[in-house]
Amino acid sequence: MARVSVEKTISAVASMDRDELISLLHDIHCSFPLDFSQEYLNSITLERLRHITLAACLHRRKNCA
């Protein structure tokens, strides 16, 4: 994955609010299940939610070639 693409993804995720992050997380299709309850996603810190969402985004991009 190109560095610019990674930086763009990081920037986009960093600017999202909780609802946007949760929506994105629900829309990501990875090679493994992402099974987070709404209660859990609402209870974790925004920083942690961004970390989880970014990791899923980067994993998805890495494995979609």
Side-chain angles (χ1 to χ4, degrees), residues 18 21-22 41 44-53:
R18 181 174 299 275
L21 290 165
I22 291 172
L41 294 174
I44 61 176
T45 65
L46 190 55
E47 181 180 335
R48 181 71 176 151
L49 181 57
R50 283 191 177 118
H51 178 84
I52 291 168
T53 306

Side-chain angles (χ1 to χ4, degrees), residues 5-40:
S5 180
V6 171
E7 290 174 357
K8 202 174 193 179
T9 301
I10 292 168
S11 180
V13 169
S15 69
M16 292 179 180
D17 65 20
R18 181 174 299 275
D19 291 336
E20 291 171 317
L21 290 165
I22 291 172
S23 179
L24 177 58
L25 196 55
H26 285 306
D27 290 339
I28 294 173
H29 300 287
C30 288
S31 58
F32 54 88
L34 295 174
D35 188 23
F36 299 107
S37 71
Q38 192 66 34
E39 181 181 352
Y40 174 74

